[in-house]
Amino acid sequence: MIPFALRLAVSGGRQAVARLLTITAATAIGVGLLLSTLAAVNAVGAANDRVLWANSGAKSRTESGTGSGTGSGTGTAAADPLWWRDRTPEYYDGHELLLVEVAATGPASPVPPGLSKLPAAGEYYASPALAKLLRERPADQLADRFPGHLAGEIGKAALASPDSLVLVSGQDPAALAARPGARQVTSIATALPPACDGDCPGSGVRGDAMTLILSVVAGALLFPVVIFIGTATRLSAATREQRYAAMRLVGATPRQITLIAAAESTVAAVAGTVLGFGVHLLLRPLVATVPFTGDRFFVDDLALTLPQALAVLVGVPVAAAVAARLALRRVTVSPLGVSRRTTPKPPSGWRVAPLLAGLAELAWFVGRRPQTTDGQTAAYLTGFLVVMVGLVVAGPWLTMSVARLVAARTSRPATLIAVRRLADDPRAGFRSVAGLILALFVTTATVAVIGTIDTNRGTLGGDPETRVAVEHGALPGDPVMADALPAPFLAELRAVPGYRGVAVAHANPDGLAHDPTAPPDWPEASLVSCADLARTPVVGHCAPGAEVAAVEPFGFLSLTSQAAREWPTAPISAAEADRLPVLSLYVTTDGSTAAKERVRTLLTRTFPEQHARMVQDFGSAQQKTLAGWRQLADVVLLTTLPIAGCSLAVSVVAGLSDRRRPFAMLRLTGAPLRMLRAVIGLESALPLLLVSAVAIGTGFGAAAMFLKSQMDYDLVSPGWVYFGLVLFGLVASLGIIASTLPLLKRITGPEAARNG
């Protein structure tokens, strides 16, 4: 029976071969996208595993004491301890650097991965990306922060990405042991500590969050592909149904018909699955360049596990066989119904239930946000997928309802024929535009979510006035930066090209100008001379006649300009304030990267125990995440719309092919070709425009509920680019429909009526 089925699959001439090739191509695209998504999830885990070594000196919350101690590495113990000090966070031009200082106490001290040996005092190893920056950038912007010389590059085994900026610096054991935060470790970490003080330096990207995001993207990409595969299988559907019905009427059993149909679909699915692995291999270099996590992947990380490969290799053909069985259920149940071309049973109103259920689920979680990532995945991913399924399920019923409404109010022949057919077989009418409807929903929801997050977090990089400054010093509760500023340092600072001014924040031991409304644990305000504030107006200003102002400790780190703020006057003279210890410096520049990084390097070199900070540093990680999401949105848009367009073209052609005899009969009875073309156009345009409006509105609604529940953001309307894209998509879809109309004349000649 199977050889007969395979022979039958290609016996229909060029049309049958074209159908098999189309199914094969659609399956290959879908499998390639699915495998690429699975590989990206695996790559996130592989990248995270390679930076676990950076947690070797992390102090667990279960440990007590301060200063130096024993780290909590979980690798194989070594005989000689290794002094370890993490200097993270450090930044260059908005990019975070992972800096680790080490000092061996003996020849058996553990060596981090990616290094052939530990750096000696005065040496350091850098990642290839950082080594390139050290070579290309002037030393006073970056290299001068790291005393010593470059001894070599860190290997891939210690890097999450080709873009990772990592430096391991060798130190003198006695000197490093005396520095705050230095710890002895006896092994290199191979797992995250149970808990860390703050963020662990080697925690990497949150794999569960990326799995959630990539799962949503996979669904967004695969749904249009599945629709495309389903559309391709409908090519010559009427002819094949007639053939199978005839076989049933002459004695073939339902099982034999199912086997023949499954063999046809499985042949194309197997070929498409195998080709899909090839598509995945071709896509790997491209996927590796997309910064889903903020940085690129190593190509080798985009690998599949054996269970994943086997599941796809077996699952896709099995799913194709099941789909073929479901598609031909009308033949196996009622062959006479097919033979006599009976009208299918109309869809009922319950089809709207899945769509409403998906929206209701998303609405339920507004104000009830799950606390765990698994809970959020179950809530939001399920909700969006149910909505997408609901749009496909509800589409035929919506098409039928509107078609009946139009039919009752029109008298034009072309319109009446089109809406009558849509009312009789709304599934066929909606099927042609289903892929585009899902693409519009995905596009709308994606653009709405990303745009709203961008609007709400777009100030993470600070106002233009605050992005020109570098702040350096002690955080509240830390030791003071210095008792006094060295005169040579101030002279060198003022000589930096692009320097504008500096505000010196002094300690406030007596709590002068204390704000009584501040929380009890709020740090004391810093004392800043009014002359300094005049040179750095972005921080704020003094009251008229004041010499010293009390500036809140976080006033220097504000993301927005404080120029309009008047700080309280401190009852102390400027000369007295200058004799107090220095807590921090706030240096303003002309805003150029060169000026800011020269200032940062000078501050780091002069006061190495503190960190230089810029407002754009605080948002750099989240901005990288947003950039990755925008890349994902672009991938979704650039993939789903062309696939949906192909699905629309194939569906319209399939519809014309299946109905060439009825149209030929209409032409023989005198119906003008212009009217028949109008019928075809209306049959496709009506469900397209109707359900497009529903899909766009549903996309906005789903996005609004997700944003309110997950982030407590109100939906922000997308800009003109989105609306222009939607308009372009709809016009292009109508153009695709119009491009198929010339086929009508060729396939509806007199011979089509004779050969029916």
Side-chain angles (χ1 to χ4, degrees):
M1 184 60 69
I2 293 179
F4 171 72
L6 297 178
R7 188 166 61 253
L8 197 63
V10 296
S11 63
R14 289 182 300 175
Q15 196 173 62
V17 173
R19 182 179 65 85
L20 291 176
L21 291 177
T22 303
I23 297 174
T24 301
T27 305
I29 294 172
V31 169
L33 293 174
L34 175 60
L35 294 177
S36 297
T37 303
L38 293 174
V41 173
N42 295 341
V44 173
N48 286 346
D49 289 343
R50 281 200 304 274
V51 295
L52 290 172
W53 66 271
N55 299 298
S56 298
K59 179 183 176 183
S60 171
R61 289 195 179 101
T62 60
E63 299 179 57
S64 59
T66 58
S68 63
T70 302
S72 55
T74 58
T76 303
D80 300 317
L82 175 70
W83 281 105
W84 187 287
R85 181 174 182 250
D86 171 38
R87 284 186 55 191
T88 304
E90 185 70 44
Y91 293 88
Y92 175 80
D93 194 19
H95 300 283
E96 186 172 0
L97 281 65
L98 174 60
L99 306 181
V100 176
E101 296 176 339
V102 296
T105 61
S109 293
V111 179
L115 301 180
S116 58
K117 62 178 182 177
L118 289 169
E123 295 180 344
Y124 57 80
Y125 288 86
S127 62
L130 181 55
K132 182 180 179 182
L133 283 176
L134 292 170
R135 290 191 298 267
E136 294 178 350
R137 300 295 187 269
D140 61 355
Q141 294 184 30
L142 182 60
D144 287 349
R145 304 180 200 178
F146 316 120
H149 65 277
L150 179 65
E153 293 187 354
I154 299 173
K156 173 188 171 183
L159 306 176
S161 163
D163 302 322
S164 297
L165 303 179
V166 183
L167 185 140
V168 179
S169 173
Q171 304 291 322
D172 177 75
L176 184 57
R179 293 181 180 175
R183 305 173 61 78
Q184 281 189 331
V185 301
T186 56
S187 60
I188 301 300
T190 57
L192 281 174
C196 302
D197 290 327
D199 294 330
C200 295
S203 58
V205 177
R206 287 187 58 190
D208 51 0
M210 282 307 303
T211 299
L212 170 61
I213 294 170
L214 291 173
S215 297
V216 174
V217 171
L221 292 174
L222 291 177
F223 257 82
V225 174
V226 171
I227 295 295
F228 184 25
I229 295 174
T231 301
T233 60
R234 297 295 302 176
L235 282 170
S236 303
T239 302
R240 286 184 294 124
E241 283 188 346
Q242 289 286 326
R243 183 173 62 195
Y244 294 149
M247 294 170 64
R248 283 279 285 119
L249 291 174
V250 297
T253 66
R255 183 176 181 180
Q256 289 173 325
I257 296 299
T258 299
L259 182 61
I260 293 172
E264 280 190 279
S265 299
T266 305
V267 167
V270 169
T273 301
V274 173
L275 291 176
F277 279 83
V279 172
H280 163 62
L281 293 177
L282 293 175
L283 289 177
R284 283 178 71 194
L286 178 62
V287 174
T289 63
V290 180
F292 299 124
T293 63
D295 292 312
R296 294 177 299 159
F297 290 124
F298 286 107
V299 175
D300 294 344
D301 287 345
L302 293 165
L304 299 167
T305 65
L306 183 59
Q308 289 172 336
L310 291 177
V312 173
L313 194 60
V314 175
V316 171
V318 170
V322 172
R325 168 69 180 86
L326 295 176
L328 293 172
R329 61 188 182 276
R330 192 159 69 107
V331 176
T332 58
V333 173
S334 178
L336 279 176
V338 173
S339 180
R340 296 172 181 173
R341 303 179 186 269
T342 56
T343 300
K345 183 180 178 181
S348 59
W350 70 265
R351 283 177 167 266
V352 185
L355 177 60
L356 297 179
L359 294 174
E361 180 184 353
L362 293 174
W364 168 260
F365 288 103
V366 175
R368 301 181 180 89
R369 177 177 176 265
Q371 297 303 311
T372 64
T373 301
D374 289 342
Q376 293 167 20
T377 302
Y380 304 128
L381 179 59
T382 303
F384 273 96
L385 291 180
V386 171
V387 169
M388 294 171 74
V389 172
L391 283 171
V392 176
V393 174
W397 182 83
L398 294 172
T399 300
M400 180 191 69
S401 300
V402 173
R404 288 178 175 178
L405 185 65
V406 174
R409 289 168 172 76
T410 186
S411 57
R412 300 181 63 181
T415 305
L416 191 59
I417 293 174
V419 296
R420 283 295 187 187
R421 180 178 181 274
L422 287 175
D424 287 343
D425 192 5
R427 295 178 185 85
F430 174 75
R431 191 182 299 122
S432 64
V433 298
L436 191 67
I437 297 307
L438 286 178
L440 282 175
F441 170 78
V442 170
T443 299
T444 301
T446 302
V447 171
V449 170
I450 298 298
T452 300
I453 294 175
D454 252 350
T455 301
N456 284 272
R457 296 185 180 178
T459 58
L460 286 173
D463 286 347
E465 296 86 354
T466 64
R467 290 199 295 267
V468 303
V470 182
E471 193 271 343
H472 188 93
L475 292 172
D478 290 346
V480 297
M481 179 177 173
D483 291 330
L485 295 177
F489 160 73
L490 289 174
E492 192 173 357
L493 177 63
R494 295 187 179 106
V496 171
Y499 166 84
R500 292 292 182 264
V502 59
V504 182
H506 295 274
N508 186 8
D510 298 326
L512 302 177
H514 177 71
D515 184 0
T517 64
D521 58 347
W522 196 255
E524 294 291 346
S526 304
L527 302 180
V528 184
S529 74
C530 294
D532 285 353
L533 287 179
R535 287 190 288 269
T536 55
V538 66
V539 179
H541 61 274
C542 295
E547 289 189 44
V548 179
V551 179
E552 290 181 1
F554 300 107
F556 291 114
L557 303 178
S558 174
L559 296 175
T560 57
S561 173
Q562 304 288 311
R565 182 159 185 177
E566 182 177 289
W567 295 106
T569 301
I572 186 175
S573 68
E576 293 173 313
D578 286 342
R579 291 193 289 269
L580 294 172
V582 176
L583 290 180
S584 63
L585 301 175
Y586 190 82
V587 184
T588 56
T589 68
D590 61 3
S592 66
T593 298
K596 290 185 292 185
E597 296 303 335
R598 285 191 173 99
V599 169
R600 194 204 296 260
T601 301
L602 174 60
L603 292 169
T604 301
R605 194 182 72 220
T606 308
F607 305 102
E609 302 306 325
Q610 283 80 34
H611 292 285
R613 297 171 288 267
M614 303 183 200
V615 292
Q616 54 263 49
D617 294 342
F618 303 120
S620 63
Q622 295 190 55
Q623 293 286 13
K624 284 170 61 177
T625 300
L626 288 176
W629 291 355
R630 285 192 290 269
Q631 290 275 359
L632 286 175
D634 292 341
V635 170
V636 171
L637 298 183
L638 295 175
T639 304
T640 56
L641 289 179
I643 292 174
C646 293
S647 178
L648 176 62
V650 170
S651 181
V652 174
V653 171
L656 284 173
S657 177
D658 287 343
R659 291 183 293 145
R660 56 184 175 180
R661 186 170 185 272
F663 281 130
M665 296 296 292
L666 284 172
R667 286 190 65 187
L668 288 177
T669 59
L673 190 61
R674 182 180 66 257
M675 186 190 77
L676 298 181
R677 288 173 175 169
V679 170
I680 297 295
L682 288 172
E683 286 181 0
S684 300
L686 182 61
L688 170 66
L689 298 178
L690 165 67
V691 190
S692 291
V694 175
I696 292 171
T698 303
F700 280 128
M705 289 183 283
F706 167 77
L707 289 165
K708 194 65 178 177
S709 173
Q710 176 73 357
M711 303 175 180
D712 198 26
Y713 291 162
D714 292 324
L715 179 68
V716 176
S717 175
W720 63 269
V721 174
Y722 161 76
F723 293 104
L725 180 63
V726 170
L727 181 61
F728 171 78
L730 292 176
V731 172
S733 300
L734 295 175
I736 290 173
I737 296 171
S739 68
T740 64
L741 297 182
L743 292 173
L744 189 63
K745 181 178 181 180
R746 184 165 61 86
I747 67 175
T748 58
E751 67 281 358
R754 290 195 303 268
N755 297 331

